Amino acid sequence: MKKNCFILSVFFFLPIIVCSRTLENEDDVVDESRATVFLTIEDAVKSAMENNISVKDAEFALKNLETRKKYSWNSVSPTLNLAGNFVDDFENESVRLGFTGTVGLGLSTNLYTQIQGAKLNYEQGLITYEQSRRQIELGVRKAFYNLLYQQENLKLQKQSLETSFTQYKDNQEKYRNGQISALDVKTSQVNYQQKKPTVEQAEIMLENSFATFKQNLGIAQDVEINLRGSLDDVLKIKEIRFESLPKADVPAPSVRSAEKNVEIAKNTLLSNRFSAYGPTLSASYSYGKEKQSNADDFTTTNRLSFGVTIPLDGYLPWSSQAVVVSTQKNTLQSAENALEDAKTTVQVQTETYLRNINQAISQIESLKSNLELAEETYTMTLTAYNYGKTDFLSLLNANNNILSAGVSLKQQAYNLISTLLDLEYELGIEFETLLKGAEDIESF
């Protein structure tokens, strides 16, 4: 019995010793000799913001909108033309050569709405760009914690495999001493062999997840990543109430985007009205010289003209311009409805996330107790088995219960942090604000 307890203690405490030694040696960010990169979650986010393709594409889209805003006044820029002509009149045996330069200028009443529209589109682009970055950051943070969960799961699966192997070897010794039957030995062997594929599958899933993670962060696939983080901090979170949520300086991103859409729709309606009812001013100046071969003097063109165009079709309800104005009114009403719906959606989503978060917190407390009970049960069952007071199947079930309880606890911790991140994304507050608040439990 002492021998078995010693072996069990080694397998339970060995990972802790190895982990502490690893943390002591992780003073450098990069170990070039092993091509290993040590990453905190903030390091991962920074790398993604610098290297992720989607972030770069969002930057290009924002730059295009910025250029359009910068030169949105270009509709009033003068148009310059230079024309030349050459005519050879074979019948009259004369040649004519001339050049003409023209400067034109047009001014429409919707110039203001064009400039304002470019400005509003750029502001909407800023919101979209910010949301694109936050969406990438959300994905990176979730992937980081998912990798931590998969590592914890793999560690628990390996510990269970080692325990099964130890029990199998111990049962062989007991069988040789005539203490147990051959069936118990065979059962322990099958149990050990059945757990091997589970460990292998967990290893493959972890490797695949790391490959995708490296791609999103712009890290070469041949570089090994060592994550600095833990799911244990999540287990400290207590109940979160709606009134205790951090207050953002601006409305939620989805509401801000809907508000900007309303402004854009109003500006478009005003622009359509200007086009339907407003006059258009035009001015042009041309100067030219022309010389014929059979004439001594140059012919000069020097002309300045002004014009105004007043559209009348807009006053006819069946005209295309009037239809455009009427349609845009409906578009504006739709944008206003979408804004109200966005406000309601944020409130509903926030309450839904809070209910899921508090339910997960409650389940975590239950899973903690379940894990403690499973560990105590296994210890007692192992003692009873060593004294021949119970069968091997009972011991096997007790060991499996520890594995199941441990995996369930870590999985629920990952689900909780994922929901917290979703809530922070929805509200537009800084990521992990709610997790950091776990250090001050009284604030919740």
Side-chain angles (χ1 to χ4, degrees):
M1 181 183 67
K2 292 182 179 180
K3 175 183 177 182
N4 292 333
C5 291
F6 173 77
I7 295 175
L8 180 63
S9 301
V10 169
F11 283 115
F12 268 105
F13 290 102
L14 182 59
I16 301 176
I17 299 173
V18 174
C19 180
S20 62
R21 290 298 302 272
T22 302
L23 292 178
E24 291 175 358
N25 295 331
E26 291 180 356
D27 295 330
D28 299 328
V29 176
V30 178
D31 186 348
E32 296 180 354
S33 62
R34 294 186 300 167
T36 301
V37 177
F38 297 95
L39 286 180
T40 64
I41 191 167
E42 299 303 331
D43 294 333
V45 170
K46 181 180 178 181
S47 180
M49 293 302 102
E50 294 175 353
N51 303 312
N52 189 274
I53 299 299
S54 297
V55 173
K56 294 181 179 180
D57 290 341
E59 291 176 354
F60 293 145
L62 182 62
K63 288 180 180 179
N64 292 336
L65 292 173
E66 184 179 14
T67 301
R68 293 191 183 101
K69 180 181 77 75
K70 183 178 180 181
Y71 299 109
S72 59
W73 53 268
N74 58 11
S75 63
V76 297
S77 177
T79 58
L80 305 176
N81 293 295
L82 179 62
N85 62 83
F86 172 81
V87 179
D88 191 346
D89 190 345
F90 297 109
E91 188 65 28
N92 298 319
E93 296 183 351
S94 65
V95 176
R96 185 169 68 248
L97 179 64
F99 295 93
T100 303
T102 304
V103 179
L105 181 65
L107 180 62
S108 61
T109 51
N110 61 359
L111 172 62
Y112 164 77
T113 56
Q114 290 178 358
I115 297 176
Q116 186 68 8
K119 176 177 175 292
L120 292 174
N121 287 334
Y122 174 70
E123 292 173 354
Q124 181 70 289
L126 282 175
I127 297 175
T128 303
Y129 173 69
E130 176 187 343
Q131 284 303 95
S132 297
R133 288 175 58 90
R134 282 180 59 83
Q135 192 170 19
I136 295 298
E137 182 175 353
L138 174 65
V140 169
R141 290 182 181 273
K142 281 188 173 183
F144 187 92
Y145 284 113
N146 181 259
L147 287 171
L148 291 179
Y149 161 68
Q150 290 190 50
Q151 287 180 333
E152 292 283 353
N153 176 56
L154 179 59
K155 182 174 71 174
L156 291 173
Q157 297 290 351
K158 286 184 175 180
Q159 287 178 358
S160 179
L161 179 64
E162 292 292 342
T163 302
S164 299
F165 177 74
T166 301
Q167 193 64 61
Y168 167 55
K169 291 298 183 183
D170 188 56
N171 281 355
Q172 286 182 323
E173 182 66 24
K174 288 181 179 180
Y175 173 72
R176 285 192 290 268
N177 296 332
Q179 296 176 307
I180 61 175
S181 66
L183 180 61
D184 283 346
V185 178
K186 187 64 176 179
T187 302
S188 61
Q189 181 184 9
V190 172
N191 175 62
Y192 164 66
Q193 293 174 342
Q194 285 180 338
K195 290 185 177 181
K196 285 183 178 180
T198 304
V199 173
E200 293 174 354
Q201 183 181 9
E203 289 176 338
I204 293 174
M205 291 180 61
L206 182 60
E207 290 177 1
N208 293 340
S209 298
F210 264 117
T212 304
F213 190 66
K214 293 174 186 177
Q215 180 182 10
N216 291 333
L217 268 60
I219 297 177
Q221 292 295 323
D222 58 349
V223 175
E224 180 183 353
I225 293 180
N226 193 313
L227 302 181
R228 284 179 167 176
S230 172
L231 293 172
D232 293 339
D233 292 339
V234 185
L235 305 178
K236 303 175 184 177
I237 297 179
K238 301 301 179 182
E239 180 183 1
I240 301 177
R241 296 187 297 273
F242 182 84
E243 57 272 14
S244 64
L245 289 174
K247 305 301 180 183
D249 298 331
V250 295
S254 57
V255 175
R256 289 169 54 202
S257 180
E259 290 175 341
K260 195 61 62 177
N261 285 335
V262 171
E263 294 182 43
I264 292 174
K266 288 180 178 179
N267 184 73
T268 303
L269 176 59
L270 180 60
S271 178
N272 291 337
R273 284 172 171 168
F274 280 149
S275 298
Y277 311 120
T280 300
L281 304 177
S282 61
S284 65
Y285 171 75
S286 60
Y287 181 86
K289 290 285 189 178
E290 188 177 73
K291 177 70 170 64
Q292 290 187 353
S293 59
N294 55 2
D296 296 333
D297 298 328
F298 283 89
T299 301
T300 302
T301 300
N302 191 3
R303 184 170 57 247
L304 176 65
S305 64
F306 294 94
V308 58
T309 302
I310 301 177
L312 300 178
D313 292 346
Y315 296 95
L316 303 176
W318 58 82
S319 66
S320 60
Q321 291 290 350
V323 170
V324 168
V325 172
S326 178
T327 302
Q328 187 57 35
K329 288 180 181 179
N330 295 332
T331 302
L332 174 58
Q333 183 63 49
S334 177
E336 291 174 345
N337 293 339
L339 172 59
E340 294 303 318
D341 185 64
K343 293 179 180 179
T344 303
T345 300
V346 169
Q347 182 177 1
V348 171
Q349 288 280 36
T350 300
E351 293 174 354
T352 300
Y353 284 136
L354 282 177
R355 285 191 289 267
N356 293 338
I357 288 170
N358 290 327
Q359 181 186 18
I361 292 173
S362 176
Q363 290 178 346
I364 283 177
E365 294 302 320
S366 176
L367 290 172
K368 286 180 181 177
S369 301
N370 188 35
L371 178 59
E372 293 175 359
L373 177 61
E375 291 173 345
E376 293 177 2
T377 301
Y378 177 78
T379 301
M380 296 174 63
T381 305
L382 178 62
T383 302
Y385 178 75
N386 288 332
Y387 281 102
K389 301 297 183 180
T390 187
D391 57 13
F392 179 71
L393 288 178
S394 299
L395 180 63
L396 178 61
N397 290 333
N399 179 45
N400 291 337
N401 288 338
I402 292 181
L403 173 63
S404 177
V407 172
S408 297
L409 178 61
K410 295 301 181 179
Q411 185 176 26
Q412 190 63 16
Y414 168 69
N415 293 338
L416 175 57
I417 187 60
S418 295
T419 309
L420 287 170
L421 292 171
D422 286 333
L423 175 58
E424 291 165 343
Y425 176 83
E426 182 72 25
L427 296 177
I429 61 179
E430 182 181 355
F431 282 117
E432 301 201 19
T433 299
L434 300 176
L435 181 59
K436 294 174 183 176
E439 299 175 358
D440 184 11
I441 298 177
E442 294 299 326
S443 65
F444 297 126

